[in-house]
């Protein structure tokens, strides 16, 4: 199974209590499940995030490869 890094930003970072994590997953959907298992607040925030895979927008079904970097970007407000 591929080992990937997920980086958290804004509310996702707050809910995770860290800026990044490494986990094994084959898709972004699976990665979200792995990192948020038993962490309902993180699961809630990740459910509304946009994800980037190596800097490119990706959907939850996107397949991951070893060494991939996934960014979790919650909605931002401001102007």
């Amino acid at each position: 199974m591929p080992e990937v890094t997920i980086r958290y930003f804004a509310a996702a970072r707050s809910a995770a209590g860290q800026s990044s994590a490494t986990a094994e997953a084959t898709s972004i959907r699976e990665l979200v499940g792995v990192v948020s298992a038993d962490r309902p607040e993180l699961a809630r925030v990740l459910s509304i995030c946009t994800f980037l895979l190596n800097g490119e927008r990706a959907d939850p079904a996107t397949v991951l490869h070893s060494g991939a970097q996934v960014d979790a970007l919650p909605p931002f407000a401001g102007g």
Side-chain angles (χ1 to χ4, degrees):
M1 190 170 297
E3 184 172 277
V4 299
T5 299
I6 183 168
R7 297 188 315 167
Y8 305 110
F9 294 88
R13 179 181 289 188
S14 179
Q18 57 190 14
S19 61
S20 67
T22 302
E24 292 183 348
T26 58
S27 69
I28 292 176
R29 181 176 288 114
E30 183 179 19
L31 178 62
V32 167
V34 169
V35 298
S36 64
D38 301 322
R39 301 174 78 186
E41 180 60 17
L42 180 57
R44 185 191 69 74
V45 173
L46 292 178
S47 74
I48 60 170
C49 282
T50 297
F51 296 97
L52 302 180
L53 173 60
N54 299 326
E56 300 286 328
R57 189 174 177 137
D59 65 57
T62 300
V63 174
L64 301 174
H65 302 282
S66 287
Q69 180 174 285
V70 175
D71 294 334
L73 305 170
F76 291 90

